[in-house]
Amino acid sequence: MSVLVTNIGELVTNDPALGEGPLGILTDAALVAQEGHIVWVGPATRAPAADYGLDVAGAAVIPGFVDSHTHLVFAGDRVDEFEARMGGTPYTGGGIATTVAATRAADDATLRANLARLVIEARRQGTTTIEIKSGYGLTVADEARSLRLAREATPETTFLGAHVVPPEYAGRTEEYVALVTGPMLAEAAPHARWVDVFCERGAFDVDAARAVLLAGRAAGLTPRVHANQLGPGPGVALAVEVGAASADHCTHLSAQDIDALAGSETVATLLPGAEFSTRSPYPDARRLLDAGVTVALASDANPGSSYTTSMPFCLALAVREMRMTPAEALWAATAGGAAALRRDDVGRLSPGARADLAVLDAPSYRHLAYRPGVPLVRTVLIGGEPL
């Protein structure tokens, strides 16, 4: 079956060969999807026939958001911690242990229901591709369980056994790293595509982080790194060293870090929801973009430091707080996220891509930043099918 989406006032294709500027914008446009993929894009007046039609009445259409960094398998919340931060308590990452305890205690049905709720919440706001990490189990059984549940929602699953050292291994980091790189990895790898590590003070130093990433890579997983969130550190350099798909957070960067990213294929994934929720300095996206670094935006959805699934909210923060233009922010939240996941079939609306798109209740993509907090996503298609 084929579907014709027509009367598109402004179509963002993210393909400069199809339209104007880096976003490849077409006006008065249409597209045709068949068997889940885009097969034709062009002027509405030249649109071929299709089995079904969707007239969007002059609205803007954008690629579905690609959220390349989330932590959605968990139980409970940390609203008390959030309230304390808003009262002046600094963020240290120490509250992760609270979520670990709640997640370990929850049964599969509870975790699955919470995960499903959050994925639906994200999709209603235009997210069509989502990455989900483990990291709130931190035992062999709980990490494997988290990844099995995540795989029910997405193929983009990440083993984050090296999130923090759990309480039962306090003072025994080397023993925990041996567990992560041995039995835990063996159980987790069949359910994961990626391996990640929190390379940060209070979590894992560079040697431990390197050991985790290299073990994951040897098991067939591609590295990602939580890097340079709480302060300057070796995370970005390590990400480039091991060929990581992305270095995420990138809040505190040196000139050397930026040069390393610019000379690599590692994407800098920025997570402004975390800075909003922790009252921390925002990353300087302008420095990265001006240096030629590929930048992605993601939600970092998690119960402690960024409890939002809203990519439009993160896009608005990027424009207001990180000196990105609306066009740069939209590209980062779609094509940039696809680059961070090393996908070429999402994040764009051109022939061959998946028919993942969002119809906005607005005439232009610029309204996503112009009207923050307004639910502008009217309709979502995933694989050409309405949500």
Side-chain angles (χ1 to χ4, degrees):
M1 294 293 182
S2 59
V3 59
L4 167 66
V5 183
T6 191
N7 200 11
I8 303 170
E10 178 185 87
L11 175 63
V12 174
T13 69
N14 279 342
D15 186 342
L18 289 179
E20 181 181 351
L23 296 184
I25 293 176
L26 292 170
T27 56
D28 300 321
L31 64 82
V32 176
Q34 187 167 5
E35 297 182 356
H37 290 78
I38 306 292
V39 295
W40 182 89
V41 174
T45 54
R46 301 182 192 171
D51 297 312
Y52 298 98
L54 174 63
D55 187 330
V56 301
V61 172
I62 63 171
F65 295 116
V66 180
D67 190 349
S68 61
H69 184 130
T70 80
H71 307 250
L72 297 186
V73 183
F74 65 86
D77 67 33
R78 282 150 60 190
V79 67
D80 292 343
E81 178 187 324
F82 173 79
E83 184 177 38
R85 284 201 305 272
M86 296 306 101
T89 301
Y91 176 72
T92 65
I96 292 170
T98 302
T99 301
V100 169
T103 303
R104 288 177 176 180
D107 60 19
D108 285 9
T110 299
L111 295 177
R112 182 179 284 112
N114 192 53
L115 171 61
R117 174 182 67 86
L118 294 168
V119 170
I120 290 171
E121 187 178 275
R123 286 176 174 167
R124 286 174 176 166
Q125 297 174 90
T127 296
T128 53
T129 301
I130 193 164
E131 179 264 11
I132 300 173
K133 305 179 191 297
S134 66
Y136 290 128
L138 308 187
T139 68
V140 172
D142 285 306
E143 284 297 292
R145 173 175 73 145
S146 294
L147 288 164
R148 283 197 302 269
L149 293 172
R151 182 57 68 88
E152 293 175 6
T154 180
E156 302 296 345
T157 53
T158 300
F159 170 47
L160 184 58
H163 199 181
V164 294
V165 177
E168 65 269 24
Y169 279 87
R172 298 186 292 141
T173 299
E174 288 187 8
E175 291 182 43
Y176 184 65
V177 170
L179 178 72
V180 171
T181 57
M184 192 181 289
L185 175 61
E187 290 295 316
H191 312 291
R193 181 182 178 200
W194 309 96
V195 60
D196 200 344
V197 61
F198 191 17
C199 184
E200 195 71 65
R201 67 176 187 267
F204 297 90
D205 66 20
V206 67
D207 292 330
R210 181 183 291 109
V212 169
L213 296 173
L214 293 181
R217 194 170 69 182
L221 308 183
T222 303
R224 323 180 71 77
V225 183
H226 280 63
N228 299 55
Q229 177 187 7
L230 303 180
V236 165
L238 176 63
V240 173
E241 173 193 327
V242 301
S246 66
D248 297 22
H249 287 289
C250 294
T251 309
H252 300 273
L253 299 182
S254 67
Q256 291 78 12
D257 291 328
I258 294 175
D259 288 344
L261 287 166
S264 76
E265 295 183 359
T266 299
V267 175
T269 300
L270 308 184
L271 309 169
E275 278 73 40
F276 176 88
S277 182
T278 61
R279 283 191 168 164
S280 301
Y282 286 89
D284 189 346
R286 188 78 267 137
R287 286 177 67 203
L288 289 162
L289 291 164
D290 289 348
V293 176
T294 301
V295 172
L297 287 174
S299 71
D300 192 18
N302 76 84
S305 60
S306 184
Y307 201 3
T308 180
T309 55
S310 175
M311 288 292 282
F313 172 65
C314 294
L315 185 152
L317 285 178
V319 172
R320 173 63 180 84
E321 303 291 348
M322 300 192 326
R323 301 196 296 157
M324 297 180 82
T325 67
E328 289 168 339
L330 178 59
W331 192 95
T334 53
L341 294 176
R342 294 187 172 171
R343 296 275 297 269
D344 61 8
D345 62 329
V346 296
R348 63 183 175 93
L349 294 176
S350 54
R354 281 180 51 86
D356 295 349
L357 60 90
V359 180
L360 303 183
D361 194 12
S364 172
Y365 74 89
R366 293 172 293 174
H367 283 236
L368 290 165
Y370 177 48
R371 304 190 66 205
V374 178
L376 292 181
V377 175
R378 179 199 302 171
T379 304
V380 177
L381 270 60
I382 299 179
E385 297 291 332
L387 181 63

